[in-house]
Structures are given as C-alpha cells and as structure tokens.
Amino acid sequence: MHVIATAGHVDHGKSTLVRALTGIDPDRLAEEKERGLTIDLGFAWVALPSGAEVSFVDVPGHVRFLRNMLAGVGGVDACVFVVAAPEGWKPQSEEHLRILELLGHHHGIIVLTKVGVVDDELRELALLDIEEHVEGTFLEGAEIVEVDALSGHGLDELRAALDRLVERTPTAVDVDRPRLWVDRSFSATGSGTVVTGTLAGGSLDVDDALIVEPGGTEVRIRAIQSRKEVVDRVEPGSRAACNLVGVARTDIGRGDVLVRPGQWWTTATFDASLQVLDSLDHPVSRRGAYHVYLGTAEHRGALRVLGVEALEPGDRGFVRIHLPVALPLTPGDRFLLRETGRDETVGGGEVLDVDPVLPAARATPDRSIERVVAERGEVEAETLSLLVGERVEPTIGRWVLAPEAEAAARERVRAAVDEAGPLGLDLARLDELDRAVLDLLDGIEIDGGLARPAGLVDPLADHPYPPMLAAAPFSPPPPDGVDRGELRELIRRGDVVESDGQYYAPSAIAEATRRIRGLLAAQPDGVTVAEIRDELGTTRKHVLPLLAHLDGSGATRRREDRRIAGPRLDQLADG
Ligand SMILES: Nc1nc2c(ncn2[C@@H]2O[C@H](COP(=O)(O)OP(=O)(O)O)[C@@H](O)[C@H]2O)c(=O)[nH]1
Ligand SMILES: [Mg+2]
C-alpha cells in the first residue's frame, strides 16, 4: 500500500497524468474543472501491473496554492515529479523539489510530460535541464520517464517505473500508533462527519475510540472507506476516509489530527533542526513572522535560534518553535518553515524534542534518549516512551533514571535507612521510586515493613512490654519504665494498642470483641458498661478506654447507655 504525491510547476500536466493513469479526475472542484487549474488536493488510485495498489495525492502547482501542496505531501513517502518538455524547469519545479527535500522525501521518479509537442532537440535539452537541477538531491539518478498523457505515449513505461518505485519504497511502518492528519472534511448525507487523510504509524478500525487534536475531542469511527470501498480496517500507508461520531463537520478540518488517546505527547513547543535554504537572501533570526507546516497543519510559529544569533542561508542549525496550539508530535516529524510577509520558504527540518525542559540558551537538542533522561534525572518510562516516540522499558520501578540521578537516589535511600538504625525505616514513608531503589541496595534487610541495615537486631523484637500486656489482657499494667520512643514505635507497629492513656495487647482487643459479640448474641438490644466490665472481669478504669477503642474501630456503637453491634463487629471478631 503506497501513497504517491505529484509535484511540479503549474500546467506541466500533473493532473492530466494522474487522470490518464487512474481514470479518475483529481480536479474534483467545479472551479478547478472550469479553470483547468488544480486549486486543492486531488485523490485517485489504481492497481499497477504488478498488482500493487497505489493512491495518488495530486497537488496544485500554482504558487498561490502552495499551502495546499504542503498539506498533500506531508506523510507521503514517494513522489512523481513532473516537468513539461516544452517549458522545462520552472520556479515551482525548484520550490517543490526543495520542499520535498526539506520534508525528508527519499523516493521518486521524474516524468517528462507533453513530449508529443516538442522535437527531439527540445526534449534532449529538457532532460539535461532536469538532470542539472536535481543534482545533489534525492532525485539525482532517479528514473526519467517520457510521457505524453494525451496520446498515451509512454504510459506503459510509466506504470512499470511506478512498480519499481513502489518496490523500492519501504512500506509504511506499523508501530501500533496511528496518526491521521486530516486533509479534508465534509459531511456525507445521512452519516455525518467524514475526514480523509493519509494514515501513518498504525491501523484504524471501525469502532475505534480516538481523539481529535488540537482540543482532545473524543470521537468514534463509525465507518471507514479506502478508495471509495467500505472496509473494517485501514492499514498505515493508505488513504483513509473515516466517518466520525462525536464531532461536527464544522469542528474538524485540515490540520487537525486523529490519534488514539494516551499514545501521544501533545505539545505547542518543540526543538528541531533547521536546514536553511541556500537561496534565501537573508539570515534566519528571531525577527520575522513564520508559518510552520507540520503534517497537514499550518500554524503561525514563533522562532528562537538556538546556540547562535542567526542562521545564514545554507546553514543547518537548531531552533525552538512555539505554536499557538498543542499537536501530537514525535521526534522525527518533519516540518517546513515559510516566512509570512515575504511568502517564501525559509527552510525545514526535523522535530528533535517535543518537550524541551532546558531554557533555550542551554538547549542542545538531538534525538538521543539519554539526553531526554539526563535533562530530567528521572522520568517515568511511560512518559519517556511518549517523549521519544518508541517503547522504552523502565530500569527502576516504573522509572528510567540518569546515572547521576540513580547514584543520588541510592545514596539518599541508604542514608535514610542508616539514620533509622536498628528501629528500622518504615517503608510506608518512602515514595514509590525510593522503595524501588531500596530493592536494589545490598546490605539492607526488610522485615515487617521495616528496612534496616543488615545484621542490626531489632531492639524491640524481644521487648518485655507486649507480653506483659498480653498476660493481663483486661487489667494491663501501665508502661512504667518503658522508653517513650520505644513505646511510640511499639504502638506504631501495632504491638501495643493505646486508648485514652491506657495500653492493651492486640490480642486483648480481639478477645474483648469476641466476648462482647457473645453478650450481644443474647441481648441484641445492647449491653451496659457494667455488664461488659463483669464479663471481662475488670474495672471501669480499664473498660472505658477499651470501649472507646472498639467504638472507634466500628466493633461497637453507643446507643444511650448501652453498647450495640457496630458495623464491623463480625469482621473484627473473626479477624
Ligand atoms: N499535449 C499534451 N498536453 C498535456 C499533457 N499533459 C497535460 N497537458 C495539457 O496541459 C494543461 C495543463 O495540464 P494539467 O494536468 O492541468 O497540469 P497541472 O497543473 O500540472 O495539473 C492541460 O491543458 C492539459 O491538457 C501531455 O502530456 N501532452
Ligand atoms: Mg493540476
């Protein structure tokens, strides 16, 4: 499955060629047909002799409609570059070639059209002209097919050449991360909003839940067509027309993007490389109003050159670009920059960082994952995967840590354990990352939710107070002589239960709960404090704090001067 874009100067025969190959007129607007001029993108498709299916995106050549051309060639992987023999190389031949270069096109063939109306000499001249102009570009050495679309001369050779082009153009990658830059939207009678685009990155299925960016509107695919046929699924590298539920026709259009929720980092600011065109007659600095072309989108952009004051014509450098809206971008995305006032192409480049964290004065963008991690110290692997556009596995817990950050985290956690000493460090006090770091450290023992340096004995392990409490469950002795810090820790661990200044063994609480349940089985309307006191064989002094605790835990509840069953009585008595 391949999508091929046309390119070349206006009137050189692009649309005629597409029509001759496919039988479909790419000039679909009434105004286009009337004027014999392509204004907006046209779409057509055909099966080649090999059986390979190709779709064409036919672009306008006229300079006034360059923005439409730009929306058509983004996301397309191959081109048919058209030059008319009688006219030869023209300004938009040059501009289109520059644009394709800047957008990272690698594959194409050249078609010399209208050969029926020139003599051999002019034809030879046109060929030389072309060869000279494509020197040093991705079209250097590309096949040149001579065609006359009106007479049909050369069309079979062209079909064979297209087969060879398709053969050597890599098939679209499928990383299960579809992105559809919308190039057209319309409403279909009876079925609502339809958007079309060239699908990249993954497939789309009927019933998929997607979001529209910018804005994040949630939509669902009701139906899909590819080449006017109803399908359940479209593969990357195909043209797709999606009938959407959840968005009005007027709320979606060219430049919007359909993606799956949660799969993309959306950003209004990115760092990028910028190749400045040789032909520009002034340096690129911060001054100037720019238009940024990304996918099918066109946005105003504010620019900041990184590292140097300005980039001279022909220079390659780095820029930070601010857009008025956030888009789902990924490193490797190509963009084109035009200067609004002068209406000229300035250059283009590759998105390198979709979430720059360093101030522009210190940014040195590239596509390395290590840099993204180093600039953050620690980053969740999920987030990192979105930032770099590929799956990255976590190295510690859910995170990826820069080497210095990992060393610092190890030191921090070890220091905390050392400081807690023999009493141990409560794991609940560590955040999730530090708990994961703790697992990596040697020489630390974890026991009962506490981490302590290996070999250190828990001074509370054989503390005498809990057994003393257990031995006298309902007349427990006061903590005379017990160190306050140790007592606090015993309570925190649950080895001792404190209530209103009295101390109990956990087993005493459980036993009291069971016995009260026994009493309540016989007297569901409630039992008095005195009855409970007698049952436990103790005094008011001991039973009141105990009951306060049971009320608090939900084992019992007060009703006037009685205790009745609390909501958690059974649970606590059985537990
Ligand atoms: N003789 C001849 N005329 C052509 C050929 N291709 C296109 N034309 C004519 O050139 C004009 C412009 O063609 P069109 O396809 O609209 O050019 P586009 O602007 O590049 O799409 C039309 O009048 C076509 O009939 C060709 O191969 N031979
Ligand atoms: Mg045309």
Side-chain angles (χ1 to χ4, degrees), residues 535-552:
E535 167 68 21
L536 301 181
T538 180
T539 58
R540 272 182 81 79
K541 174 185 152 199
H542 284 120
V543 84
L544 286 177
L546 183 67
L547 283 173
H549 178 83
L550 295 181
D551 290 343

Side-chain angles (χ1 to χ4, degrees), residues 14-16 27 37-38 58-61:
K14 297 178 292 298
S15 302
T16 306
D27 286 338
L37 175 74
T38 307
D58 183 43
V59 309

Side-chain angles (χ1 to χ4, degrees), residues 9-16 36 38 114 117 148-150:
H9 199 76
V10 63
D11 261 353
H12 278 206
K14 297 178 292 298
S15 302
T16 306
T38 307
K114 309 192 190 181
V117 296
D148 194 285
L150 294 193

Side-chain angles (χ1 to χ4, degrees), residues 464-480:
Y465 191 46
M468 285 163 64
L469 293 176
F474 304 118
S475 336
D480 294 337

Side-chain angles (χ1 to χ4, degrees), residues 259-471:
V259 289
R260 285 195 200 134
Q263 282 198 325
W264 292 82
W265 190 267
T266 58
T267 185
T269 300
F270 62 91
D271 285 354
S273 64
L274 178 68
Q275 174 68 53
V276 181
L277 282 183
D278 259 331
S279 53
L280 203 69
D281 64 1
H282 59 91
V284 175
S285 65
R286 202 197 290 222
R287 282 187 303 280
Y290 297 95
H291 271 123
V292 182
Y293 296 83
L294 269 157
T296 57
E298 173 189 19
H299 292 288
R300 287 175 186 290
L303 183 100
R304 162 105 190 232
V305 178
L306 303 179
V308 292
E309 276 298 303
L311 296 171
E312 299 296 326
D315 277 359
R316 183 178 181 277
F318 300 99
V319 288
R320 176 162 296 175
I321 292 177
H322 301 278
L323 304 174
V325 294
L327 295 171
L329 300 181
T330 196
D333 281 346
R334 295 291 188 140
F335 71 97
L336 197 95
L337 199 64
R338 283 175 62 79
E339 205 160 323
T340 319
R342 306 176 193 230
D343 202 22
E344 64 182 347
T345 301
V346 165
E350 189 184 13
V351 173
L352 298 175
D353 191 336
V354 296
D355 183 34
V357 291
L358 295 185
R362 288 199 287 127
T364 52
D366 58 25
R367 285 189 61 181
S368 105
I369 298 177
E370 288 70 36
R371 179 190 57 78
V372 175
V373 176
E375 288 176 358
R376 288 166 173 75
E378 64 194 48
V379 52
E380 280 182 33
E382 286 288 324
T383 304
L384 184 59
S385 301
L386 298 186
L387 292 176
V388 301
E390 59 184 88
R391 180 85 211 120
V392 185
E393 295 303 325
T395 52
I396 298 179
R398 292 186 283 125
W399 288 266
V400 177
L401 268 66
E404 307 76 51
E406 181 179 335
R410 283 170 178 267
E411 213 161 289
R412 174 176 74 232
V413 175
R414 186 175 295 283
V417 173
D418 285 345
E419 199 190 329
L423 280 181
L425 176 69
D426 183 1
L427 295 189
R429 289 199 199 163
L430 295 178
D431 65 24
E432 204 186 332
L433 173 59
D434 281 359
R435 274 207 295 282
V437 171
L438 181 68
D439 288 338
L440 301 175
L441 299 179
D442 297 329
I444 289 177
E445 279 166 8
I446 294 172
D447 182 28
L450 295 166
R452 64 174 65 82
L456 287 190
V457 179
D458 178 3
L460 299 184
D462 298 315
H463 201 281
Y465 191 46
M468 285 163 64
L469 293 176

